[in-house]
Amino acid sequence: MKYYLVGIKGTGMSSLACILKDMGNVVTGSDVKEHFFTEKSLDEKNITYEEFTDEVTNEYFYIISSAYDINNIVVKKIINENYNYMYYHEFIEFFFKKKKIGICGSHGKTTTTKVIAKVLEDKNICYLSGDSSGKGTKNYEYFVLEACEYKNHFLSYTYDYLIMTNIDYDHPDYFKNKDDYLQAFQEVSKKTKCLIANGDDENIKRIKHKNKITYGFNYDNDYVIYSINKYKNGYFISIVNREKEEKLYIPLFGKHNILNVVASYVLVDLLKIDVQFQKKIYEFKLPKRRMEEVKYKSNILICDYAHHPTEIKALIEAILEKYEKEIIIIFQPHTYSRTLALKEDFRKCFEKAKKLYIMNTFISREQYDQNKEREVKKVFSFFDDYDEKVYLSLKKETNKVILFLGAGTVDKEMEKLYNNL
């Protein structure tokens, strides 16, 4: 089969492209000229792509990103010429018919998806992750899917198992308020046969499901994390369920990562699959742009995708656990709507950093607005602007963690600094 993906550089779209290529299909696509970190996954699979063009023919089945409509020149041609196509979410539900494992939640979706993919890597699986990586297997038994709540996209799918990591208000450009956001998660819980949920989360406690299995640190969960011992490179923990105890070593920092691993453990336990869970966790590497680290002399340079106040606070705490160094942060806000809606939380989440620098907002799907950009800068009035002078000063820093933070293009600034160093 020959597939053409419109918007192929999107995190989910590039992951899907990798899956389809692995399954023996011809895969190509188009997107904007701007460079994205997702291109690396496409290049590794030798998947070609071009800038958007209306020079497309009916030789392909077209898969269209939800970010584009008939105003896009490729989509317009596809629809006007009556070529065969589906939108991304429609295609996933149509194409993947085997046992479906979804991972949803405001934070931790990508890491949890990648943990499950790692643990089940020796089994017949396909997986689609939000860091642009994906694996396809022709005779797969399980399809592991990162299911995003934005625009209620996760309601497009049906699940055999659905992991719900947490519920923390986000995407204010689509969801009217916190109740509207919570309602989306209540609706998606109706789409699964079994709900595996973080029982410590106050919002998840309000989600009703006849087959809800909970995990967490609180003693009223079905799977209880009751012992945590911190070591140099991670934690030893104990998990108790129905008088059965499992001890695990987790080579990651941050309690959020403990919860991500335990969610994966619960899934494997319920599936009753024989895997070397501890061995796989020991080998696990965090997804792209999740605490990606490089060392330079006495400094640690870190790039991370975190762009919500809760994620940022958890990340800073994890870094402070791992390194006894001062933190310098270069932050690129992600969208005006999120930044301004959560401005009070943004003001609080950086308090443990030593120096703070702000870049212009990565506007993503929004339009540039000079007045809103000024409002964002006011939110971060305690930051200094990131400019060439600051960039040159970073070269002289010693014994620091320099954190490049955000879901936009801030990773390019870290690459620039590291390559020049």
Side-chain angles (χ1 to χ4, degrees):
M1 189 74 176
K2 298 175 74 173
Y3 292 102
Y4 185 108
L5 280 69
V6 182
I8 196 169
K9 294 183 187 179
T11 52
M13 291 287 282
S14 54
S15 181
L16 177 59
C18 293
I19 293 172
L20 294 173
K21 183 69 181 287
D22 284 348
M23 297 175 87
N25 300 289
V26 174
V27 182
T28 187
S30 59
D31 212 310
V32 294
K33 184 179 181 180
E34 185 179 357
H35 175 79
F36 290 94
F37 76 94
T38 55
E39 291 177 28
K40 184 178 180 181
S41 296
L42 299 172
D43 295 341
E44 287 172 350
K45 301 274 187 183
N46 294 316
I47 297 171
T48 60
Y49 45 90
E50 60 188 351
E51 285 187 60
F52 287 135
T53 173
D54 61 358
E55 295 180 10
V56 292
T57 65
N58 63 357
E59 64 179 307
Y60 294 100
F61 185 92
Y62 291 91
I63 304 169
I64 303 173
S65 164
S66 58
Y68 298 104
D69 57 21
I70 200 165
N71 293 312
N72 174 276
I73 58 172
V74 191
V75 178
K76 185 175 182 179
K77 176 75 176 287
I78 292 166
I79 292 175
N80 287 344
E81 297 295 330
N82 202 28
Y83 295 160
N84 290 323
Y85 76 92
M86 283 185 181
Y87 270 90
Y88 169 80
H89 304 91
E90 297 172 326
F91 180 81
I92 287 174
E93 181 65 10
F94 166 80
F95 186 81
F96 296 100
K97 299 297 187 184
K98 302 288 178 66
K99 195 163 284 188
K100 196 176 289 144
I101 299 164
I103 299 88
C104 74
S106 307
H107 319 300
K109 294 186 292 293
T110 302
T111 300
T112 306
T113 302
K114 293 301 290 278
V115 171
I116 294 168
K118 177 64 181 176
V119 170
L120 300 182
E121 68 179 350
D122 297 329
K123 306 298 179 182
N124 291 328
I125 68 164
C126 292
Y127 81 84
L128 189 154
S129 168
D131 71 339
S132 83
S133 63
K135 173 188 174 182
T137 306
K138 281 186 178 180
N139 299 313
Y140 69 96
E141 297 177 62
Y142 303 98
F143 175 51
V144 182
L145 165 70
E146 179 175 339
C148 181
E149 73 276 17
Y150 184 58
K151 290 189 176 180
N152 281 326
H153 289 155
F154 60 179
L155 298 182
S156 302
Y157 317 126
T158 53
Y159 313 88
D160 293 279
Y161 294 87
L162 180 64
I163 292 173
M164 194 173 286
T165 59
N166 43 63
I167 303 175
D168 189 12
Y169 182 49
D170 200 2
H171 304 298
D173 58 325
Y174 180 76
F175 295 103
K176 300 177 208 147
N177 50 48
K178 293 179 181 180
D179 287 338
D180 189 30
Y181 188 72
L182 178 61
Q183 184 58 35
F185 283 88
Q186 181 62 68
E187 290 302 312
V188 79
S189 71
K190 299 174 184 177
K191 310 274 287 185
T192 185
K193 296 173 185 175
C194 177
L195 180 66
I196 301 169
N198 174 1
D200 294 349
D201 187 281
E202 291 301 319
N203 286 319
I204 287 180
K205 288 178 182 179
R206 297 166 60 185
I207 301 295
K208 307 298 182 186
H209 194 279
K210 62 182 179 182
N211 189 18
K212 181 179 179 182
I213 310 296
T214 62
Y215 62 91
F217 298 100
N218 296 337
Y219 288 115
D220 58 350
N221 287 300
D222 298 303
Y223 289 78
V224 179
I225 308 160
Y226 85 97
S227 175
I228 306 174
N229 293 302
K230 181 186 168 189
Y231 285 79
K232 183 179 179 180
N233 295 313
Y235 311 95
F236 278 102
I237 70 167
S238 294
I239 308 168
V240 174
N241 169 248
R242 301 187 191 92
E243 299 182 357
K244 178 178 77 172
E245 181 177 350
E246 183 84 28
K247 294 185 181 296
L248 285 176
Y249 171 64
I250 301 176
L252 304 169
F253 281 93
K255 287 190 176 180
H256 60 294
N257 278 322
I258 294 176
L259 288 167
N260 294 335
V261 171
V262 172
S264 309
Y265 171 83
V266 174
L267 171 72
V268 171
D269 194 47
L270 294 175
L271 289 174
K272 302 189 185 308
I273 299 177
D274 183 21
V275 294
Q276 294 179 296
F277 194 92
Q278 178 61 85
K279 179 176 182 292
K280 297 298 183 183
I281 294 302
Y282 188 76
E283 296 171 350
F284 175 71
K285 305 295 182 187
L286 283 166
K288 297 169 190 171
R289 292 187 66 178
R290 271 67 176 183
M291 210 166 168
E292 281 190 315
E293 302 180 12
V294 291
K295 294 183 180 180
Y296 175 72
K297 294 185 178 178
S298 60
N299 295 308
I300 306 294
L301 308 185
I302 298 177
C303 182
D304 197 279
Y305 199 71
H307 52 285
H308 184 286
T310 301
E311 294 172 330
I312 292 168
K313 184 179 179 183
L315 173 67
I316 292 172
E317 289 174 353
I319 290 172
L320 289 172
E321 271 196 275
K322 188 172 183 180
Y323 297 108
E324 294 182 0
K325 298 176 185 287
E326 292 179 349
I327 301 177
I328 299 171
I329 295 179
I330 297 89
F331 177 55
Q332 184 182 39
H334 188 266
T335 72
Y336 301 131
S337 55
R338 176 187 286 110
T339 307
L340 296 175
L342 304 176
K343 61 185 178 182
E344 295 305 321
D345 294 322
F346 272 114
R347 286 188 177 116
K348 296 173 185 174
C349 69
F350 292 98
E351 59 187 12
K352 293 184 179 179
K354 182 68 175 177
K355 296 179 183 177
L356 298 162
Y357 300 101
I358 187 81
M359 294 174 62
N360 287 336
T361 307
F362 185 78
I363 57 177
S364 185
R365 49 196 170 259
E366 298 175 342
Q367 297 297 314
Y368 175 74
D369 186 312
Q370 191 175 36
N371 291 328
K372 287 183 179 178
E373 189 66 48
R374 286 198 197 99
E375 287 183 58
V376 168
K377 290 293 174 66
K378 285 180 183 177
V379 173
F380 301 104
S381 58
F382 52 99
F383 281 56
D384 292 321
D385 286 336
Y386 181 72
D387 54 22
E388 189 67 18
K389 185 178 178 181
V390 173
Y391 164 75
L392 293 173
S393 73
L394 293 178
K395 292 184 175 184
K396 301 174 185 177
E397 292 288 352
T398 57
N399 200 36
K400 302 289 194 307
V401 172
I402 305 175
L403 173 59
F404 294 82
L405 189 61
T409 55
V410 68
D411 57 315
K412 294 180 183 177
E413 295 303 316
M414 178 168 143
E415 287 176 12
K416 176 183 170 184
L417 179 66
Y418 181 70
N419 290 335
N420 279 286
L421 291 174

